[in-house]
């Protein structure tokens, strides 16, 4: 199927072509027509499925049909996201699709951890607001923003929002919105907790469930190394050199470990930075930008951050430490081999973790021939 069949506004089709998208992904094919009609939507799809454009395109399409209104502090579209990184990414997709349109649409991302004043000032004339829940409420309470004109609400990565404890904020925000609106909820999984928010939010939604590539991770090559904790650092450096790795995302379980691994890599001549919840906003942005543009060899991250990292064709992911849940594992390895490109996810496993790793692989219906790092010379 081609994008032409979706009846999107011509200027959007031009942008789609300019961005090099040839065919809609499964979620786009199914969600765009529903969203264009203004219906409520529940999309079960993960990052990597193309879900962002599946709501961005119909939203812009609908806004283009609106008559111009006087500028105000009342956005028409509100997109709630769990993290700053995702807020910036979603805003970037809105920008990509709207920047050359004849009628100007202003989108903006707001999130905590940075000064609120510039955000308050910039709120005037914003049509599309992408926000993390806490900061949105701060802005609303200080009258920098009104939510009574919101026509379209999107909750992106709703499961992640619940996991991060944003339930109360989400409920509070929903109460501030007009009841007459379109709501779209996107989540990687369908949990019991999600049903609660789904009931408050959606009325008779069209449910679209996409079997995600990340779930079967068939196109991602997996490899595993048995290695003691004390040899993980040398093994990582060995693999980076041996495989001539130019860009690798390394996962650790704690912030402290992320810092340690990054500093050790740097000391050994491999340029690395860490990224996690304790880093300042500007540090996170700088590290992510450097990494995305290929100017940073290794980025060491914790799980919290993994959802916000969206890089095409990321060639290598290393699980320096195993995550506790299989879900996190799938999510981490899903950072590589995205958008139909293959990648390699390497996992370090200590002898004590062997059983846990087997459980993860079983859940993924995958099998790996483990390599014993003691057989390698490094
Ligand atoms: P998302 O799931 O929204 O995070 O998108 C994952 C990646 O796929 C992003 O880098 C998009 O730019 C890319 N993408 C989204 N839709 C398409 C498409 N129809 N064709 C090619 N790439 C796409």
């Amino acid at each position: 199927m081609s994008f032409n069949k979706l009846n999107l506004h011509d200027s959007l089709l031009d942008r789609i072509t300019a961005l090099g998208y040839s065919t809609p992904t499964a979620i786009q094919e199914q969600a765009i027509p529903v969203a264009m009609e203004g219906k409520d939507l529940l999309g079960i799809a993960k990052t990597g499925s193309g879900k962002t454009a599946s709501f961005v395109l119909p939203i812009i399409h609908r806004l283009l049909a609106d008559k111009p209104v006087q500028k105000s502090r009342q956005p028409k579209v509100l997109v709630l996201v769990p993290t700053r990184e995702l807020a910036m990414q979603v805003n970037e997709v809105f920008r990509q699709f709207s920047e050359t349109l004849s009628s100007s649409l202003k989108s903006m991302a707001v999130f905590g951890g940075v000064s609120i004043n510039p955000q308050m000032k910039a709120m005037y004339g914003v049509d599309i607001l992408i926000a993390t829940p806490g900061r949105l409420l701060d802005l609303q309470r200080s009258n920098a923003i009104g939510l009574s004109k919101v026509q379209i609400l999107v909750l992106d990565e709703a499961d992640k929002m619940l996991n991060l404890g944003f339930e109360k904020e989400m409920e509070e925000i929903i109460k501030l919105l007009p009841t007459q609106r379109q709501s779209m909820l996107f989540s990687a999984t369908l949990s019991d907790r999600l049903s609660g928010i789904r009931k408050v939010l959606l009325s008779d939604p069209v449910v679209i469930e996409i079997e995600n590539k990340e779930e079967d991770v068939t196109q991602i090559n997996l490899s595993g190394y048995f290695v003691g904790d004390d040899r993980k650092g040398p093994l990582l450096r060995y693999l980076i050199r041996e495989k001539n790795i130019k860009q690798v995302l390394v996962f650790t379980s704690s912030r402290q470990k992320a810092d340690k691994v990054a500093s050790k890599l740097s000391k050994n001549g491999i340029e690395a930075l860490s990224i996690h919840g304790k880093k300042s906003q500007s540090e996170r942005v700088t590290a992510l930008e450097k990494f995305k543009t290929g100017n940073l060899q290794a980025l060491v991250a914790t799980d919290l951050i993994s959802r916000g990292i969206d890089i095409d064709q990321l060639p290598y992911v290393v699980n320096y430490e195993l995550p506790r849940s299989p879900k996190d594992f799938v999510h981490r390895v899903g950072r590589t081999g995205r958008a139909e490109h293959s990648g390699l996810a390497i996992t370090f496993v200590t002898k004590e973790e062997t059983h846990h790793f087997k459980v993860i692989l079983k859940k993924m219906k995958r099998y790996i021939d483990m390599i014993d790092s003691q057989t390698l010379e490094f």
Side-chain angles (χ1 to χ4, degrees), residues 25-37:
T25 64
I27 182 83
Q28 290 163 4
E29 196 177 316
Q30 296 179 54
I32 291 173
V34 174
M36 277 166 75
E37 279 184 47

Side-chain angles (χ1 to χ4, degrees), residues 3 16 19-25 27-28 45-55 57 86 89 93 96-97 156-157 212-214 307 309-313 335 338-340:
F3 274 104
I16 289 167
L19 288 168
Y21 290 10
S22 50
T23 46
T25 64
I27 182 83
Q28 290 163 4
K46 293 194 176 91
T47 298
S49 60
K51 69 172 166 56
T52 317
S54 82
F55 62 83
L57 285 165
L86 188 61
Q89 253 175 54
V93 179
Q96 282 175 345
F97 283 114
D156 197 8
E157 298 198 353
N212 201 278
K213 276 186 260 131
E214 279 181 33
R307 290 216 172 205
I309 300 174
D310 170 26
I311 302 154
D312 282 342
Q313 304 177 44
R335 305 300 85 194
R338 311 194 61 197
E340 277 133 43

Side-chain angles (χ1 to χ4, degrees), residues 100-236:
T100 58
L101 298 178
S102 47
S103 65
S104 71
L105 288 174
K106 188 171 167 189
S107 70
M108 190 179 163
V110 291
F111 35 77
V114 291
S115 163
I116 196 168
N117 287 345
Q119 294 181 349
M120 289 168 88
K121 284 191 193 129
M123 209 51 68
Y124 185 68
V126 168
D127 303 290
I128 302 155
L129 184 65
I130 302 114
T132 52
R135 178 51 58 99
L136 178 72
L137 284 171
D138 289 343
L139 287 163
Q140 192 272 339
R141 285 179 195 130
S142 51
N143 291 327
I145 190 91
L147 297 176
S148 63
K149 296 266 160 61
V150 171
Q151 299 164 14
I152 306 175
L153 169 74
V154 178
L155 244 71
D156 197 8
E157 298 198 353
D159 49 347
K160 175 92 172 182
M161 254 187 292
L162 293 173
N163 289 344
L164 291 176
F166 283 134
E167 198 162 354
K168 269 217 175 81
E169 281 96 338
M170 276 153 73
E171 281 168 7
E172 206 175 318
I173 291 165
I174 291 167
K175 278 190 202 137
L176 296 168
L177 302 174
T179 45
Q180 275 291 341
R181 54 154 209 271
Q182 177 185 20
S183 302
M184 295 186 253
L185 195 154
F186 289 88
S187 175
T189 50
L190 201 55
S191 65
D192 286 348
R193 282 169 76 206
L194 198 74
S195 336
I197 204 94
R198 170 187 170 171
K199 272 192 207 119
V200 211
L201 192 74
L202 303 173
S203 86
D204 195 20
V206 176
V207 181
I208 299 170
E209 193 160 358
I210 300 299
E211 201 186 307
N212 201 278
K213 276 186 260 131
E214 279 181 33
E215 207 102 86
D216 59 31
V217 281
T218 44
Q219 84 279 32
I220 296 169
N221 300 310
L222 299 176
S223 76
Y225 291 82
F226 283 128
V227 58
D229 272 325
D230 55 329
R231 298 284 289 156
K232 283 183 176 177
L235 175 61
L236 178 59

